[in-house]
Amino acid sequence: MALVLQAQARARQGKTALHLWRTGALLGLAVALRLTNALYALALVPALMCDGARLRARLLALGIVIVVAGGVFALVAGPWYWQVWQHLGNPLFPQFNGLFKSPLAAPVSIADTRWLPRNLGEHLLWPLLFTLKPQRIGDLGLVQALWAVLYALVLIVAARAVLRRRVAGVGLDRSATVVLVFVATAYVLWQAIFSIHRYLVVLELLAPVVLWICCRHAFAQRADHKAAWLIGLCALVAVVGWKDWGHEPWARAGFEVTQPQIIDPARVTVLLVGDEPQSWRVTLLPQQSRYIGVATNISETDAYRARVRTLVAERPQIYAMLGAARDKQQARVDRMNRWAHQFGWAAQPDCARLRWLIARGLRAELAASTPGRCLLVVPKARALDIAAADQAIREMAQQRLGAYGLTLDPAQCRTLLSRIGQTVYPYQFCTLRQAG
């Protein structure tokens, strides 16, 4: 956006817009690395056209951006999309399969519509609704006030315009117009296509500028002062309402996977069974083997299952990789024991401090005490039976593998360890055989 504003200022002075190739290069790279950035590429089109020199020069600028962005996108993402198309019949598999009609997935254009407004009223009031209930646009529910404040300011500005009570002496310069056109277009596209909070990140970076522009047209007095207070308030709400999905403790090796015992990996097929994310492990397993996802959250077709059977027949030494139960409660209690040791509470007479915390809601119990040692354990009611949980995972996998004519041998399953940072993510590695 900064490069666009700079180029448009040069164009108004009669200078060339050829250096907009930088804008096109950044745009093509952004869309290549994350396809959802295409939303902002589309929004940039009216922004490029709404300011600058004569119409011919604006069209030239738009053409430069489109050609360069398309070239960079093809160079960076093209080889990957071509490979996916060659193997799966759809460069965006399984997305947009209603258009590409790969036989390996259902012929529908998959989209996550859970977050979209449900009726006209919600469309009109959407910024207010997802501010009051942030879970409407994301599982995490990030608390913020920015979009409700902007919504109110836009209504004030619109009311002033309708009533012809515009703020005296305040005009809308060309750069501000470009920013507002870009933000408004991108927001409308976002609400219509995704309505998922994380895809608003570009607009939330520009939103303080938009808020300041709106304040200058909404308030006749001390507009800049009010804008500063509103921006500060929105920032404070965002910081207080901050959440994330969690982070694993740092380790010298970011990722580790215990290797399964495989004889002649080049003759091996490993089926990744179930919905649990497992492909991160594949990068650390024998690269000569073949890895195939089955019974995942992608809707499989008969053609997909037939392709899997063909690939399995080419490499008849077959294994399944499954998830394994992870006792999160035990991990939590282990952390509490480390803290207790750091504070010296693990060696108190009669474990007084830990008993006091348990009485006030700490979700743990004291183990049978030994002199001079206090140890927290998982409450019996919350304890996880690891063996039973792993057995349930294997039974579920067995049901799903039946569609491929394969059966799992429980006696040939081994639980192995893998790590992200310091956190253990166990997995099961099982031998498969043809059913019957």
Side-chain angles (χ1 to χ4, degrees):
M1 177 54 64
L3 291 173
V4 167
L5 295 177
Q6 184 185 62
Q8 290 174 332
R10 288 170 58 89
R12 290 195 296 271
Q13 299 169 9
K15 298 179 181 179
T16 179
L18 291 177
H19 71 290
L20 268 171
W21 69 267
R22 294 178 295 175
T23 300
L26 287 174
L27 194 62
L29 184 62
V31 178
L33 295 177
R34 181 68 172 174
L35 194 58
T36 52
N37 284 328
L39 160 74
Y40 296 107
L42 293 173
L44 202 60
V45 173
L48 280 164
M49 291 298 295
C50 74
D51 186 42
R54 294 172 299 174
L55 178 61
R56 181 178 177 181
R58 298 182 194 185
L59 291 173
L60 174 62
L62 179 61
I64 291 172
V65 171
I66 290 175
V67 170
V68 175
V72 171
F73 176 84
L75 182 65
V76 176
W80 168 252
Y81 288 128
W82 176 253
Q83 287 286 331
V84 177
W85 199 344
Q86 290 291 101
H87 285 285
L88 302 174
N90 175 351
L92 303 172
F93 185 88
Q95 302 287 340
F96 301 106
N97 207 45
L99 172 64
F100 294 101
K101 300 189 184 305
S102 165
L104 302 180
V108 296
S109 294
I110 298 172
D112 191 351
T113 60
R114 293 175 295 162
W115 317 106
L116 295 173
R118 296 165 187 158
N119 51 54
L120 179 60
E122 289 196 347
H123 272 284
L124 295 176
L125 299 173
W126 197 231
L128 299 180
L129 294 178
F130 70 69
T131 297
L132 295 174
K133 192 174 182 180
Q135 288 81 7
R136 290 295 303 272
I137 59 172
D139 288 314
L140 204 57
L142 292 172
V143 178
Q144 53 77 39
L146 175 65
W147 291 102
V149 172
L150 272 177
Y151 186 86
L153 287 173
V154 169
L155 291 181
I156 294 173
V157 174
R160 280 187 172 276
V162 170
L163 298 174
R164 297 183 179 180
R165 294 183 180 179
R166 291 186 174 89
V167 177
V170 176
L172 195 62
D173 63 30
R174 292 181 172 183
S175 294
T177 300
V178 172
V179 172
L180 292 177
V181 167
F182 173 77
V183 170
T185 305
Y187 175 82
V188 170
L189 290 172
W190 169 83
Q191 182 173 308
I193 299 172
F194 300 119
S195 198
I196 297 173
H197 197 168
R198 63 181 179 273
Y199 298 154
L200 270 179
V201 61
V202 172
L203 298 188
E204 292 192 337
L205 290 172
L206 290 172
V209 175
V210 176
L211 192 152
W212 174 74
I213 294 171
C214 290
C215 279
R216 290 179 66 86
H217 292 81
F219 304 118
Q221 297 179 346
R222 305 184 70 189
D224 290 349
H225 183 76
K226 293 174 182 177
W229 275 101
L230 286 174
I231 291 171
L233 174 64
C234 292
L236 180 63
V237 171
V239 170
V240 172
W242 172 81
K243 299 177 184 176
D244 71 0
W245 291 103
H247 301 275
E248 305 302 358
W250 287 97
R252 183 174 296 277
F255 300 88
E256 291 182 280
V257 177
T258 302
Q259 299 293 309
Q261 293 182 354
I262 295 177
I263 300 174
D264 193 3
R267 291 175 50 82
V268 166
T269 299
V270 180
L271 301 184
L272 282 62
V273 185
D275 296 344
E276 178 185 322
Q278 299 197 76
S279 57
W280 65 274
R281 296 189 183 104
V282 172
T283 62
L284 299 174
L285 293 175
Q287 297 302 291
Q288 306 95 319
S289 301
R290 174 177 285 163
Y291 300 88
I292 307 171
V294 298
T296 66
N297 57 0
I298 296 174
S299 178
E300 296 173 355
T301 63
D302 290 339
Y304 186 92
R305 287 186 280 270
R307 173 74 68 85
V308 172
R309 293 190 195 99
T310 300
L311 294 173
V312 166
E314 294 174 1
R315 300 189 179 193
Q317 192 176 338
I318 320 165
Y319 297 94
M321 194 157 73
L322 322 172
R326 185 161 66 96
D327 195 340
K328 298 180 182 179
Q329 293 293 333
Q330 185 60 54
R332 181 181 62 83
V333 169
D334 288 343
R335 287 195 300 270
M336 290 191 292
N337 279 317
R338 288 195 293 270
W339 280 108
H341 179 75
Q342 289 289 331
F343 288 113
W345 298 344
Q348 284 187 327
D350 197 35
C351 307
R353 178 60 66 179
L354 294 179
R355 292 184 187 279
W356 184 86
L357 290 171
I358 291 171
R360 280 152 183 80
L362 184 68
R363 290 177 297 170
E365 294 177 353
L366 280 169
S369 59
T370 57
R373 186 168 182 264
C374 304
L375 181 67
L376 294 170
V377 296
V378 178
K380 292 180 180 179
R382 293 176 174 270
L384 175 65
D385 188 336
I386 296 291
D390 284 345
Q391 176 64 27
I393 293 172
R394 290 193 293 269
E395 290 174 356
M396 179 189 65
Q398 181 59 70
Q399 293 174 2
R400 296 180 176 184
L401 288 167
Y404 297 91
L406 300 170
T407 185
L408 183 148
D409 185 356
Q412 296 296 320
C413 287
R414 298 290 180 269
T415 299
L416 303 173
L417 299 183
S418 58
R419 287 183 174 83
I420 298 178
Q422 297 180 35
T423 303
V424 174
Y425 288 85
Y427 71 101
Q428 300 183 73
F429 200 81
C430 305
T431 301
L432 295 179
R433 61 175 183 270
Q434 297 290 341

